[in-house]
Amino acid sequence: MAPQRRGAPKAPEGSGAAERRRPNSQAVSRRMRCPQLCTCSMKNVRAPRETQRKWLRAAALGACAALTALLLWGSLGGDDGVTEVLAHRSEVLLGRFIEVPCSEDYDSHRRFEGCSPRKCGRGVTDAVITRDEARRIRSIAEKGLSLGGSDGGASILDLHSGALSVGRHFVNLYRYFGDKVQNIFSEEDFQLYRDVRQKVQLAIAQAFGISASSLYLTKPTFFSRINSTEARTAHDEYWHAHVDKVTYGSFDYTSLLYLSDYLDDFGGGRFMFMEEGANKTVEPRAGRVSFFTSGSENLHRVEKVLWGTRYAVTIAFTCNPDHGIADPVLT
C-alpha cells in the first residue's frame, strides 16, 4: 500500500506561525530593491578607494618629480645649505668686492704697517687674467701632473718646492725626475707663471689699498687638480671648512685662479665663503680670480667635485718678508 503523503499541519487560527509564513509586502519590496541598494552601497565604498588611489598616484608622481629635481641639482653641482651666488659662472666681472669686518687672527702675528690687513674682505674679477692665459697656465699643470697624481681625488703640483702628488705620497719632482723635468716644462712656461703671479699680486694690492711691493709670495702656492675619485688619505679631503691664517700662519692674502669652467668641465667644486644664514658662493670660470684676506672673517671651503676635473692655482701672499718665497726657476 502506497504511503500517503501527509499535508503540513494547519496552524491554529491566530497563531504566530501563520503570520510568519505570510509574505510581507514591505519585506518583498525591500528585497526587490536590494540589488539597487547593494549597487549604491558598493559605489559609495569604491568612491573613497578611487579617490585614495588618485591621491596616491599624485603623491607618487610628486615624489618622483622631486627626486628627479634633487638628483639633477646634485649632478649639476649642488650642495647642502643655503647659498647666495657671489659670482655666477655666466658673468664676466670687471671687479666685485665685499668688505667684511676683520677678525682678531692678525693680532697674534707680527704686523707690518701699510700691509697687514686693516681693511678685510673678498673680491672676484675676470679682468686680470685672460681665458687664453688660463688655458696656457692649465697646460703647465697638466704637464706636471702627468708625472704623477694622487690615488685620491686631489692632486697637488708645487713648482716652488717641487712637491708633486704621487699615489698616496708626495715627491720632489726636481729630484725625483731630474733632467726629465726640462723636457716637460719650458722657460716660457715659467715666465708665464711669473707674469700671472705679478698680475694677481697687483690686483690684490689695488683692492685693499696697499703697495704691491709690500706683498711677498708665500708657501704653499700650488696647482690643484680635483676629481670625484674617493679620498684615499687626509690630503684628498679638500672639502673641509678652514681658515688660511690658522692653517698657514704666514698667509695674509689668499687668491685662487680658476683654470676650468663650472658645469662645463666639472660639477660640484664651487668655492664657498661660510656665513650664518647663507653661504656666499663663487662659481669657477677659467681666468677668474677670487681673492680675500686670510683670517677667520673668510672661513671657506670647496664643495666636493661630483664629476669632471677642476683645475686651479692657489697663490698666497704674506706681509712678512721672512716668510717670502722666490718665483720658480727652471734649472
Side-chain angles (χ1 to χ4, degrees), residues 94-142:
L94 295 179
R96 179 170 292 166
F97 185 83
I98 298 176
E99 188 168 348
V100 298
C102 291
S103 65
E104 298 178 355
D105 296 340
Y106 309 100
D107 296 338
S108 58
H109 296 266
R110 181 182 173 188
R111 280 193 168 273
F112 292 83
E113 197 59 38
C115 181
S116 295
R118 297 287 184 185
K119 172 186 176 181
C120 293
R122 58 194 66 146
V124 184
T125 178
D126 296 309
V128 173
I129 306 300
T130 67
R131 287 179 69 83
D132 180 64
E133 287 173 322
R135 177 188 59 78
R136 291 159 57 201
I137 284 286
R138 173 173 165 168
S139 176
I140 298 173
E142 290 172 335

Side-chain angles (χ1 to χ4, degrees), residues 118-315:
R118 297 287 184 185
K119 172 186 176 181
C120 293
R122 58 194 66 146
V124 184
T125 178
D126 296 309
V128 173
I129 306 300
T130 67
R131 287 179 69 83
D132 180 64
E133 287 173 322
R135 177 188 59 78
R136 291 159 57 201
I137 284 286
R138 173 173 165 168
S139 176
I140 298 173
E142 290 172 335
K143 288 188 290 187
L145 288 165
S146 70
L147 298 172
S150 171
D151 286 345
S155 298
I156 298 299
L157 169 64
D158 184 338
L159 293 179
H160 302 268
S161 68
L164 172 68
S165 300
V166 176
R168 302 191 179 195
H169 307 283
F170 292 94
V171 301
N172 185 312
L173 86 139
Y174 299 119
R175 289 200 298 264
Y176 194 80
F177 295 100
D179 294 340
K180 186 178 180 180
V181 171
Q182 298 198 25
N183 298 325
I184 298 295
F185 302 114
S186 67
E187 180 53 44
E188 289 75 16
D189 290 336
F190 278 62
Q191 184 59 54
L192 175 64
Y193 184 88
R194 291 190 289 268
D195 291 344
V196 166
R197 187 271 303 164
Q198 290 172 351
K199 289 182 179 182
V200 172
Q201 182 172 340
L202 181 60
I204 291 174
Q206 290 175 340
F208 290 99
I210 59 179
S211 171
S213 62
S214 67
L215 290 174
Y216 301 89
L217 194 65
T218 193
K219 61 181 181 181
T221 286
F222 57 92
F223 288 104
S224 60
R225 182 186 69 192
I226 305 174
N227 57 37
S228 60
T229 304
E230 183 180 355
R232 296 291 189 270
T233 71
H235 296 294
D236 298 318
E237 297 182 8
Y238 55 85
W239 54 82
H240 300 296
H242 63 280
V243 174
D244 288 346
K245 190 69 178 173
V246 174
T247 306
Y248 312 106
S250 63
F251 280 35
D252 288 308
Y253 300 91
T254 306
S255 68
L256 293 115
L257 168 59
Y258 299 108
L259 306 177
S260 48
D261 294 321
Y262 173 63
L263 294 188
D264 288 334
D265 299 313
F266 63 92
R270 295 179 300 175
F271 184 93
M272 306 181 75
F273 292 105
M274 310 297 290
E275 292 187 356
E276 291 185 7
N279 300 325
K280 304 299 188 295
T281 302
V282 176
E283 298 180 348
R285 182 179 188 274
R288 172 166 287 172
V289 178
S290 172
F291 58 90
F292 49 93
T293 45
S294 304
S296 298
E297 69 277 3
N298 283 312
L299 174 70
H300 61 275
R301 72 182 188 93
V302 174
E303 290 179 320
K304 287 185 178 181
V305 170
L306 302 178
W307 55 266
T309 305
R310 177 190 190 270
Y311 283 91
V313 55
T314 298
I315 307 173

